[in-house]
Amino acid sequence: MTLRGMTEGSTVVPQETPFSRPDPKTEASVRAIGERLFELMDAHPAPGILSKKGAYARIMEWSMRDPAFKAQLFRFVDVLPSLESSSEIVRHLREYLGDKAVELSPAMRTGLAAASFAPAMVAGPVKANVTSMAGQFVAGATPDDLVKRLRQNASKGIATTIDLLGETVVSGPEADQFLRRNMEVLDTVAKALSRDPAPCFSDLGPKGPLPRLNLSVKVSALTPEVLPTDPEHSIVALKERLRPILRRSREIGGFVNFDMESYALKDLTLSLFRSILEEEEFRAGPQVGIALQAYLRDCESDLKELIAWARRAGRPIVVRLVKGAYWDFETTLAGQRGWPVPVWSQKPESDANYEKLTVLLLENADIVSPAFASHNVRSCAHAIAQADRLGVDPRAYEFQALYGMADELKGALVATGHRVREYCPVGDLLPGMAYLVRRLLENTSNEGFLRAKDAGGASREVLLANPVGLLAPGRGAAPAGGFRNAPNTDFTKEANRRRMREALGHAAARLGGRHPIVIAGRRISDREWVASTNPARTSQVVGYWARATVADADLAVAEARAAWPAWAARPADERAGILERAADLMEARRFELGALEVYEAGKPWIEADADISEAVDFCRYYAREMRALGKPRVTQQVPGERDIQLWTARGVGVAIAPWNFPLAILCGLVVAPLVAGNAVVMKPAEQTSVIAAELMAILTEAGVPPGVLAYLPGFGEDVGARLVGHAGVDFVAFTGSRQVGCRIWETAGRTLPGQANLKKVVCEMGGKNALIIDNDADLDEAIPAALYSAFGFSGQKCSALSRLIVLEGVHDRFVERFLEACRSLPVGDPALPGTVVGPVIDAEARDKILSLIEDGRRESRLAFQASLPAGLAESGTYVPPTVFTGVLPSHRIAREEIFGPVVAVMKARDLDEAFGIAMDVEYALTGGLFSRSPSALERAQREYRVGNLYLNRGITGAIVERHPFGGFGMSGGGTKAGGRGYLENFLFPRVVAENVLRRGFTPPPEDPS
Ligand SMILES: Cc1cc2nc3c(=O)[nH]c(=O)nc-3n(C[C@H](O)[C@H](O)[C@H](O)COP(=O)(O)OP(=O)(O)OC[C@H]3O[C@@H](n4cnc5c(N)ncnc54)[C@H](O)[C@@H]3O)c2cc1C
């Protein structure tokens, strides 16, 4: 086997690389040290992870041969701890491994088939096997197990760092418990160590004994209040929980290491590390360290800053250099969000960066003690060779390796006089499974060193090769073809947060502007001015809009009728180009528009920002679709006849939009018919007509001609009703309440004298969306997803979660954790970066929601209601997040759309009942299921009839083209905004058949595609 196509002895270095070319002298020394380590490893073979005997070895071998088996097996391992009965274990085993794509030996297939006849006989051994697999990577469940392991390690000259398993906390009590467990471990281990005599070999540094009690902590486990978009607040919350750990560690002479998790938490973790250590009480202790991930492109600059900080502060620290454990996650997430991928794309790049940073660390070993955490012999040999070259005392740095992995390497390093520390996870099986799956993935990774060494049969020369020679030239993330969504802003970056703060400042300074009606390019100001106010601070006027009259509506329709034929006659490409220009303008003004939404709609930062992205996407997506529709399509090829279908605009339309996606929905309702060649009268929601005025200005600047688009702010009762019933209107594009939607549908059905066409209505209404939680759901994922789906933007999305249907087996556990999690919801002013729940749109909405809450109190149990921070209720139109439990399908709060931060929790016996309840409403917009049963997921896909079904994720946040959006029932007419076919709603299809046969001669046929 070769590593990424390297042939033995090849050292071709690509022209452009940020890494230095190999230095022959150092390379020779790396090679010699590596060979020596291999010899020692061969002489004392610990059972290599892949050479372990028995079931584990066979399973791992199979996993590496069959990726489908591997995926299914690891998924089964992940769900196993949540399964309570033998029959459930067997059912899941069969569902995962019985998948057709999985190749099983005939014996395994027969065993699997027979398993359901005697579940207990199969489930027991399966659970025992997986538990024993976990036992290979988890040092035990209790502090006493840990003490035992510490002593075993010490007897081999190996030091230990302790990691308490438990990565996601969703509530304060969970975080408190995690803190208590950490304190307990510190105390138990400190007591045990005080009875042990001298430190072991690896606990002796260049200046004497090192802290023997070494604890690794993950910040995400310390508090549920970690919001990467609001690091300042998160750091305050994190410090509360970290201080006791640091204090106790200092008292007992311990050491605390900050582990590094996902990229979103990286800057926050670094800031936390520096700022807590700058606090007076921690200036002199305890001793501390932090992990940095060499697979990150910005790891080098982070390390340099950290070294400079340590020098400035005169604070010696340890840096644990790792490559990084979340490569697939980071790559996938960045791909989904359209963000730059933060990790290197080639494995040898991570290796080469690791080596580069190894040198940087060793050069600064006087202030930063290096800890090289790697199971890769080449990476370790390189560190030793560089330390020798730089004259760094071998005791001034250490190696670290995980419990249950690379045992022979640990032995070889100690034998060559190097300090080694083992990372020992302890804890329960449940969080242990997530950790186990990560280790299994690492051990079976195609790219990994361990697999190449133990299972791939790679030669030593290949295993010890300089990674720079393995870099493939020009391999980077190839831009994906097809439509690309506008990426949302990454608010974990301080530069972006600064831009948003500045934009909010500028917007605040310009509030109060006046926005006249615009018809055929004329601005009409001599009308009543209506104030649009900030729902978070109702005394603050965002702007004034001129209230259109019924006569204005008539004028706008007349101008539109005059303008549309010329507009429709322009080539589709030209109209598409105008939309693309509008998209560019919106992107350029993203922060400014976002800030305005914060003030006018009360949208929290990330929601406002996502609304701008969606508006941009609508413009670009519909432009692209129209370019395609603009070309005639050959319907069928027959000799001598040319048969084509083409599209023609309907005429004049009205777009009536809601306030909850004040730019995106309005923009989508306007630009789809526009690009199709229609003229549009835009009637925005009264609450967000200032943002609508910005859209008007942008579309005009992009090139939409006068008359083709009118800006007609006004009230639904008069202007809206007049437009819908107007004989000069050919279609209505509406999103809003069911009540208004149904009225529009009915009005449009009455054909008036002089009407040119039957009116078409594109109608999107509300929902009563449910999320089902299956017994085997991953609650660590389901709870945050439910929380955000229900309360993000105060539940004011048509897709928002309103009913949680929880299966009996998991109901109590889920509800307890969910209610606790609700307590950590940040409620406040949306102008602050960490706010998740802001105000509702206006007093009318607030009063309606509060009255529904009163009904809920009478019908069921009020299980949670947030208390609003002081002053909030007086300043704005806030409704506290509220949860009812024990809700029955007949209750009003289980049936009526609420459009606010209120959730009804219902219990279901089984999935049959759960699907029944979920669909027993008049709406069919969004819905979801959290389950780890493949058959349940398949069933949901088949039976759960909603427009947008989300499996194992939140149920809000549809993205253009990826999730075309819209429902049926009383949720809408079945159209899909942002999806294929949507533009056709605003077009008439036409067919042309032409006889092309001339005296027996016929031209060659056209391509039908
Ligand atoms: C003691 C200890 C503590 C640890 N603490 C942390 C921690 O705090 N945070 C953390 O994230 N990890 C941590 N890890 C996990 C660590 O990141 C992985 O174990 C490590 O990356 C494996 O690297 P290796 O040198 O042993 O193996 P190798 O096989 O040489 O490297 C594997 C690594 O290469 C990288 N990689 C894989 N494919 C690609 C690709 N296509 N392009 C670019 N890079 C790629 C990944 O980082 C992968 O893990 C720790 C590990 C140890 C031993």
Side-chain angles (χ1 to χ4, degrees), residues 28 43 82 117 162 253 267 322 396 410 444 503 632 733 756 863 944 1004:
S82 71
F117 297 110
I162 305 159
D267 287 350
V322 300
K410 293 171 196 158
T444 53
Y944 192 175

Side-chain angles (χ1 to χ4, degrees), residues 458-509:
S459 71
R460 295 228 166 127
E461 189 181 354
V462 169
L463 292 171
L464 292 176
N466 187 309
V468 177
L470 300 174
L471 295 173
R475 255 184 99 252
F483 180 72
R484 303 191 65 170
N485 298 94
N488 293 339
T489 303
D490 179 0
F491 285 116
T492 68
K493 301 276 169 224
E494 165 53 22
N496 290 334
R497 291 197 301 277
R498 194 177 53 241
R499 285 185 75 184
M500 189 64 186
R501 281 194 301 268
E502 285 167 7
L504 284 163
H506 289 147

Side-chain angles (χ1 to χ4, degrees), residues 260 293 320 323-325 346-347 350 374-376 442 449:
M260 195 56 85
Q293 297 154 319
R320 175 200 296 159
K323 281 171 200 161
Q346 302 182 42
K347 161 79 163 65
S350 292
S374 171
H375 306 130
N376 183 324
E442 189 171 333
F449 177 87

Side-chain angles (χ1 to χ4, degrees), residues 4 161 216-218 257-262 290-295 320-328 331 343-351 354 372-377 379-380 399-403 405 421-424 435 438-439 442 445 447-451 475:
R4 178 151 273 152
T161 182
S216 289
V217 289
K218 288 191 172 55
N257 190 78
F258 291 48
D259 283 3
M260 195 56 85
E261 301 173 73
S262 63
I290 187 164
L292 289 187
Q293 297 154 319
Y295 68 4
R320 175 200 296 159
L321 190 63
V322 300
K323 281 171 200 161
Y326 310 87
W327 189 87
D328 294 274
T331 313
V343 292
W344 298 102
S345 60
Q346 302 182 42
K347 161 79 163 65
E349 288 176 312
S350 292
D351 292 335
Y354 192 91
F372 301 109
S374 171
H375 306 130
N376 183 324
V377 177
S379 303
C380 296
F399 290 96
Q400 297 190 353
L402 301 177
Y403 173 81
M405 290 177 68
R421 185 175 304 279
E422 185 176 81
Y423 185 98
C424 278
Y435 180 80
R438 274 217 298 280
R439 296 287 76 83
E442 189 171 333
S445 155
E447 310 250 20
F449 177 87
L450 285 179
R451 177 172 175 182
R475 255 184 99 252

Side-chain angles (χ1 to χ4, degrees), residues 55-56 59 76 80 86 89-90 93 115 118-133:
Y56 176 72
I59 286 174
F76 172 72
L80 183 65
S86 297
I89 292 178
V90 167
L93 193 65
M121 281 176 68
V122 176
V126 164
K127 204 159 185 173
N129 264 315
V130 175
T131 310
S132 110
M133 251 203 283

